[in-house]
């Protein structure tokens, strides 16, 4: 269970990485395509997936959220108004996607929809036990924080974990460094904390992951290989290539999801304890005693 958002300073394979992670998850999963420059899943990976014998059309997806009533039933399930906008990622009932915008000009109309969408993503994560993977696209900054219209800022601030996707090469790192610094500051001020930010490295040719982390001053929380064959399928759809589940990208995505989920859950527990400490004197004393005991044995 985790709400994980992927962004980049420049196109570095965010959508492909997010799709691979969603398809590789061993849990039920929701892939939310929240790239404000427009989505590509509906014309790629989702184009061949039918629901009740019908293909995906323009009446479903992120651009229709302002008209949807984002509510849930008493049993904690999604109402039809929510479920109708979630499209299957494959032929199972375990993986669904929220297709992205069909027109970037619709981004400004989403301001009223963000609170409801954040609630739905958190419900899927915390109540239904799903993994939630967000494709946040290329990050646009304004005044040192994510742009309120051109990025899914409310979702980034609510995420357990935000991954800055980078290639291990000079061109990608030089653009990512200032974005990492600004985003970390913004998450500390408005989100779940600066430690929510980490790096996801795409490719193995170039700087080693440890060097990427030093350059960005971020922990590298995962690395995926550059797998053109699998990436082409995840980007453009069509028939799934033979041995998809055993491809280098999908194997690596499976391997990375477990540690990411564990990291996110530890952060959430830490934040919950800090909140309890701030509101409960007894908890504050207990935390102080534990800290002192840890210092004696450190």
């Amino acid at each position: 269970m985790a709400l994980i958002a992927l962004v980049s300073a420049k196109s570095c394979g965010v959508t492909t990485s997010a799709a691979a992670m969603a398809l590789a998850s061993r849990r039920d999963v929701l892939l939310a395509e929240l790239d404000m420059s427009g989505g590509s899943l509906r014309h790629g990976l989702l184009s061949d997936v039918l629901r009740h014998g019908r293909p995906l059309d323009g009446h479903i997806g992120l651009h229709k959220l302002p008209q949807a009533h984002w509510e849930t039933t008493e049993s904690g399930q999604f109402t039809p108004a929510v479920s109708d906008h979630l499209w299957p990622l494959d032929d199972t009932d375990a993986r669904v996607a929220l297709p992205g915008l069909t027109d970037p000009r619709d981004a400004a109309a989403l301001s009223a929809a963000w609170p409801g969408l954040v609630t739905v993503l958190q419900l899927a994560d915390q109540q239904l036990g799903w993994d939630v993977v967000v494709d946040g696209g290329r990050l646009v900054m304004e005044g040192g924080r994510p742009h309120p219209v051109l990025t899914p800022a409310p979702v980034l601030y609510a995420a357990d974990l935000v991954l800055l996707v980078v290639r291990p090469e000079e061109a990608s790192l030089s653009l990512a460094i200032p974005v990492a610094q600004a985003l970390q500051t913004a998450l500390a001020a408005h989100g779940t904390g600066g430690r929510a930010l980490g790096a996801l490295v795409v490719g193995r040719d170039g700087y080693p992951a440890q060097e990427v982390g030093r350059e960005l001053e971020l922990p590298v929380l995962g690395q995926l290989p550059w797998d053109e064959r699998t990436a082409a399928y995840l980007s453009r759809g069509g028939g799934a290539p033979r041995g998809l589940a055993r491809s280098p990208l999908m194997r690596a995505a499976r391997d990375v999801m477990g540690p990411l989920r564990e990291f996110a859950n530890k952060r959430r527990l830490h934040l919950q304890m800090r909140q309890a400490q701030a509101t409960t004197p007894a908890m504050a004393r207990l935390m102080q005693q534990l800290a002192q005991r840890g210092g004696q044995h450190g």
Side-chain angles (χ1 to χ4, degrees):
M1 300 179 294
L3 173 49
I4 303 172
L6 280 65
V7 296
S8 70
K10 190 176 175 64
S11 180
C12 294
V14 172
T15 300
T16 300
S17 299
M21 290 166 57
L23 286 171
S25 175
R26 291 185 170 90
R27 298 175 180 266
D28 288 359
V29 65
L30 167 58
L31 172 61
E33 190 178 28
L34 307 184
D35 185 342
M36 295 297 98
S37 66
S40 60
L41 285 176
R42 71 174 59 243
H43 299 297
L45 187 61
L46 302 182
S47 61
D48 295 323
V49 182
L50 303 180
R51 187 173 69 183
H52 306 306
R54 302 180 61 181
L56 177 62
D57 60 35
H59 298 289
I60 292 171
L62 182 62
H63 58 296
K64 292 297 183 180
L65 293 194
Q67 291 82 37
H69 298 289
W70 290 94
E71 300 175 350
T72 56
T73 65
E74 292 182 359
S75 62
Q77 300 297 317
F78 294 138
T79 63
V82 175
S83 298
D84 286 349
H85 289 279
L86 304 180
W87 199 258
L89 266 173
D90 54 22
D91 58 1
T92 73
D93 295 326
R95 303 179 182 91
V96 294
L98 171 64
L101 295 177
T102 58
D103 187 338
R105 293 174 294 183
D106 291 334
L110 291 173
S111 59
W114 287 123
L117 178 56
V118 169
T119 298
V120 166
L121 297 181
Q122 291 177 329
L123 172 69
D125 165 29
Q126 299 173 20
Q127 300 298 320
L128 302 183
W130 295 5
D131 284 331
V132 179
V133 181
V134 174
D135 170 10
R138 184 178 69 87
L139 200 62
V140 179
M141 305 296 288
E142 180 185 63
R145 66 178 67 175
H147 194 285
V149 173
L150 302 179
T151 66
V155 175
L156 300 183
Y157 294 149
D160 298 309
L161 186 57
V162 179
L163 296 176
L164 184 61
V165 182
V166 296
R167 297 292 305 277
E169 54 192 32
E170 184 66 31
S172 180
L173 287 175
S174 63
L175 293 173
I177 289 172
V179 169
Q181 296 170 347
L183 182 55
Q184 194 168 45
T185 300
L187 290 172
H190 308 286
T192 60
R195 292 185 178 180
L197 183 62
L200 177 68
V201 179
V202 175
R204 303 190 187 279
D205 295 332
Y207 294 112
Q210 187 175 10
E211 180 64 21
V212 172
R214 282 198 296 265
E215 290 290 327
L216 295 176
E217 297 183 352
L218 293 176
V220 174
L221 300 178
Q223 187 167 14
L224 300 176
W226 187 256
D227 180 354
E228 291 189 11
R229 180 169 172 263
T230 306
Y233 165 69
L234 296 176
S235 299
R236 297 193 292 267
R242 180 177 297 179
L244 174 66
R246 300 187 301 276
S247 68
L249 177 55
M250 296 306 297
R251 289 202 309 268
R254 279 193 297 273
D255 290 341
V256 83
M257 279 301 292
L260 288 176
R261 188 186 302 114
E262 182 179 356
F263 185 90
N265 288 337
K266 285 182 178 179
R267 286 206 70 257
R268 182 181 297 172
L269 179 60
H270 177 70
L271 290 174
Q272 291 172 346
M273 293 182 68
R274 285 183 59 185
Q275 292 170 355
Q277 180 183 5
T279 57
T280 308
M283 179 62 74
R285 290 193 297 271
L286 176 59
M287 292 296 292
Q288 185 178 17
Q289 292 170 2
L290 291 174
Q292 292 173 346
R293 186 176 182 83
Q296 293 172 359
H297 294 278

